[in-house]
Structure formats: C-alpha cells, structure tokens
Amino acid sequence: MKSEIKGVWFTTARRFVRERYGPEAHEAIAAAVDAEHYTALSDPLASEWYPEEALQQGMAAMGRILAHGDAERLGLALEACTDLGINHFFRALIRLGSPAMVLRKVPTMWGLIRRGDAVVTAEADDEQATIRYERFPYFYDANYRLMTLASLRTVVRICGGCVPRVEIVSYERDALSVNVSYGERRDSRP
C-alpha cells in the first residue's frame, strides 16, 4: 500500500506559513508542487488522506521558499509547525505523561496521521528512547529525517519540560533509527 498522510499536517502547515510568513509565501509553496498535489497544499481538508508525495514536495518547497535551502532553518520551521499542530487537548495529555511514556506512543501517533506499510517501534526508559521506523521509503530524503527529529524534539519538550538530544543512529532508504535522550525534567510539574 502506498503511504498516505492525513490532511491535518497540511492544514497545520498552511496555518503556520500564513501566520509566520504571510499568505504570499503559502501561495508560493502551493504553486511550487506538482499540479496533482496543489490542492493538498493550497486548500487541504484535515480529515482527507493525501499521497506522501504531496508532503514530500511541500517540504521541499518550504525548504526552498522559507529556509532558502538552509537545512537548520527548515528544521526549526518544521519544529514550530509541529508545535502549532499539537492541539490544546493533545498538549494537555502529553504534559501528563513522562517522555518515556509519550515516546512509547509514537507508533500509535504515527498510525493516526499515516497509513501504509510502515512499521514503527519504540523502546524507552527514564533517560532515553530508541524509535525505529521501517518499510517507509522516504528516509533517503533529508527533509523526512529533519521532520522526524523536529517532531520528536517537540513532543519531548512539551511533556518533559526539557530540550532533548535527538540523534539519528542510522538510516537507509526505507528505515530510520533515532535515539532521544531526555534525562531529568527541568521544570517542577509533578
């Protein structure tokens, strides 16, 4: 089965780009993708499923238009976009859990926003986690690796009150292994 992504990613990206960079930037990004994916970026529906290629082309356009080819800037934009996309209810739930508990839920979260043949596993303890993605043929694209790091960093920052160290252990065309180190929480939330 070909990979598909839920439209909520596109609606969040549209909101992020319009709020942070303006409607002209959003229109430029939508215009930069193939015609068959234009609607996914220009006027997405949160409940719709879109081909993974729409996201791939959208991230590439964001990299060119918003980050001017700078991978670090694109990573920061993807992190901010992820932060915006975590709604208030989900944010409250994340804050109730430890980084280990939340990261063990990554396979479930993946299944809510993607469908296809990918397999995601997570192992976590009080100090670190390893997340492994397999059978997802997009990790050759550096933007997917950036997005994965940004997403994991954001989730742990929200629930753990700290900025974790998130590192790629290895990757192949269709697999990625990531180590997330979070150690102690910085804030005093119970």
Side-chain angles (χ1 to χ4, degrees), residues 3-181:
S3 183
E4 295 179 314
I5 186 157
K6 196 78 162 173
V8 68
W9 192 95
F10 297 100
T11 59
T12 300
R14 177 184 60 193
R15 180 177 162 207
F16 168 75
V17 172
R18 285 180 169 270
E19 287 177 2
R20 180 85 48 104
Y21 299 93
E24 301 81 18
H26 173 251
E27 291 164 16
I29 291 167
V33 303
D34 290 347
E36 66 190 283
H37 303 307
Y38 175 79
T39 302
L41 280 97
S42 67
D43 195 25
L45 299 173
S47 61
E48 186 68 40
W49 290 96
Y50 295 98
E52 194 70 44
E53 290 79 11
L55 174 58
Q56 185 176 38
Q57 291 182 23
M59 282 194 298
M62 287 175 72
R64 288 188 309 275
I65 294 165
L66 304 181
H68 307 287
D70 183 324
E72 186 174 336
R73 286 178 68 182
L74 178 59
L76 292 171
L78 292 170
E79 195 169 326
C81 192
T82 300
D83 192 64
L84 180 65
I86 298 175
N87 68 36
H88 294 294
F89 176 73
F90 192 54
R91 187 176 299 271
L93 287 177
I94 289 174
R95 285 189 173 145
L96 292 175
S98 68
M101 185 210 64
V102 171
L103 290 172
R104 281 190 214 102
K105 299 294 182 191
V106 166
T108 302
M109 290 185 270
W110 179 278
L112 294 173
I113 63 167
R114 282 208 165 77
R115 60 185 182 189
D117 295 331
V119 175
V120 181
T121 58
E123 297 175 10
D125 61 29
D126 291 340
E127 296 182 5
Q128 66 181 355
T130 300
I131 315 296
R132 176 91 177 143
Y133 305 84
E134 297 175 292
R135 295 180 15 204
F136 184 70
Y138 293 90
F139 289 121
Y140 67 91
D141 184 332
N143 291 337
Y144 276 84
R145 298 189 304 272
L146 281 173
M147 180 176 62
T148 302
L149 297 176
S151 299
L152 293 171
R153 189 176 300 111
T154 301
V155 168
V156 172
R157 182 181 44 76
I158 291 170
C159 75
C162 67
V163 178
R165 189 176 74 234
V166 184
E167 300 173 314
I168 294 173
V169 175
S170 64
Y171 74 91
E172 303 166 28
R173 176 179 163 66
D174 67 347
L176 177 72
S177 184
V178 179
N179 187 332
V180 184
S181 300

